[in-house]
Amino acid sequence: RMLYHLCLALPDTLRFLQRAGLAGLEITRPDLTLGRGRQGSGVWRFPELLQQVPKYFMLLMDLFDESPTPNQEDAATCPIEALKFAVTAGEVTLAEALVTIVQLMVNMTSANAIGNLVHRLATEKSPECKDAELEAFVSEVLRLDAPLQRNPRRVTEPISMGTTTLPAGAQVLLLLGAANTDPVVFPDPTAFQPGRLAPEDQGVTFGAGPHYCLGASLVKLEMREVARLLLRDFDRLEVQENRRVRDVDVGNYGFESLVVKAKRRWVKAETL
């Protein structure tokens, strides 16, 4: 079965490698993909995916190529254009850019964040449907209910924290959710208080520095628009059933199941 799907995937894979060059090898990583170890085991269970991967990345390359080549100012307004600018400037490789696009498209961050938002809308005092109040509400949801609770990082140079010194190259696990409830920074940290955060201090939900989450603006926009729609069309939301995600190995914090009863807002029709 594996050999059959390898043969089917070969034409599309060769086209992808011809188009992407070395970036294609960096993405497909046959040394890992076809291995029987933990990292490559998935393809042995679902070999039909072998044919889909090169097709998928060629579609992403079409999207990448068709976007306008931005200047530095324009790159700040669109993730795809920002990535294209970074590739042109030599800051990231094409492979890194394409894989980042995949993360933006299929990451669980949006699903977790929107689920957490709906739960808060149903259990907390609803904000007014105004930009400033929606922004404040979304920021507080992201602080208390960070959709990704932890993130791995590598220490680039020795650093001392208290009585502990971390050597260069050490692997660390950043507990974002814990940092967002640090009482030194956030008085009464577990209380839901929209508006407590200044624009320059939004917590560390999306990281900081050069590795700040590229999709942060997208997630916030999605949350604001979902909140706007629900507040506009419904008078009340009530949680009927909820079950948090149980697979927490990568730090996901969202809902496996969230059932909400919504009372629609009826608008009296005007007589013409």
Side-chain angles (χ1 to χ4, degrees), residues 12-260:
D12 287 318
T13 302
L14 290 176
R15 279 193 289 271
F16 172 57
L17 294 177
Q18 183 179 18
R19 183 175 176 185
L22 290 177
L25 286 176
E26 290 181 59
I27 292 170
T28 55
R29 289 298 302 271
D31 56 320
L32 295 178
T33 304
L34 301 180
R36 283 188 174 275
R38 184 176 180 182
Q39 287 178 295
S41 60
V43 78
W44 288 88
R45 292 198 302 271
F46 306 103
E48 60 273 12
L49 294 178
L50 286 169
Q51 193 176 6
Q52 302 305 317
V53 170
K55 290 181 178 179
Y56 179 66
F57 275 98
M58 281 194 288
L59 288 173
L60 290 184
M61 288 190 72
D62 290 340
L63 176 66
F64 194 76
D65 291 342
E66 290 168 5
S67 66
T69 301
N71 55 40
Q72 190 166 11
E73 184 177 342
D74 293 336
T77 64
C78 174
I80 302 297
E81 292 181 4
L83 283 169
K84 192 166 186 177
F85 178 83
V87 171
T88 303
E91 297 173 356
V92 300
T93 66
L94 176 60
E96 290 170 332
L98 292 174
V99 171
T100 300
I101 294 174
V102 174
Q103 290 293 313
L104 288 174
M105 294 177 69
V106 302
N107 202 288
M108 284 296 292
T109 305
S110 290
N112 291 342
I114 291 172
N116 293 335
L117 169 74
V118 173
H119 186 264
R120 288 288 180 179
L121 285 171
T123 56
E124 305 286 352
K125 180 181 177 180
S126 296
E128 293 292 327
C129 200
K130 300 176 182 178
D131 289 346
E133 292 207 23
L134 291 176
E135 180 72 34
F137 195 91
V138 164
S139 293
E140 188 70 344
V141 173
L142 288 170
R143 180 185 73 85
L144 276 178
D145 303 327
L148 188 66
Q149 290 283 307
R150 58 180 185 260
N151 226 337
R153 286 291 183 263
R154 181 172 58 85
V155 179
T156 58
E157 58 185 46
I159 183 173
S160 295
M161 302 181 67
T163 59
T164 301
T165 299
L166 299 175
Q171 300 292 322
V172 296
L173 192 62
L174 306 180
L175 302 180
L176 307 178
N180 281 346
T181 53
D182 183 349
V184 175
V185 181
F186 307 105
D188 196 5
T190 60
F192 188 80
Q193 297 175 357
R196 73 155 79 211
L197 298 178
E200 65 276 6
D201 183 17
Q202 298 290 317
V204 294
T205 295
F206 295 107
H211 292 288
Y212 185 77
C213 177
L214 188 63
S217 296
L218 176 62
V219 172
K220 292 177 184 178
L221 174 63
E222 291 171 333
M223 293 176 72
R224 286 195 301 271
E225 293 311 306
V226 168
R228 195 187 310 276
L229 183 146
L230 292 175
L231 292 170
R232 183 193 69 198
D233 291 352
F234 299 97
D235 277 326
R236 187 172 64 253
L237 301 175
E238 296 178 4
V239 175
Q240 302 290 295
E241 174 190 333
N242 70 89
R243 184 168 63 251
R244 285 283 181 185
V245 291
R246 292 171 292 179
D247 179 12
V248 295
D249 280 351
V250 295
N252 277 319
Y253 188 68
F255 289 94
E256 187 175 286
S257 173
L258 178 63
V259 179
V260 175

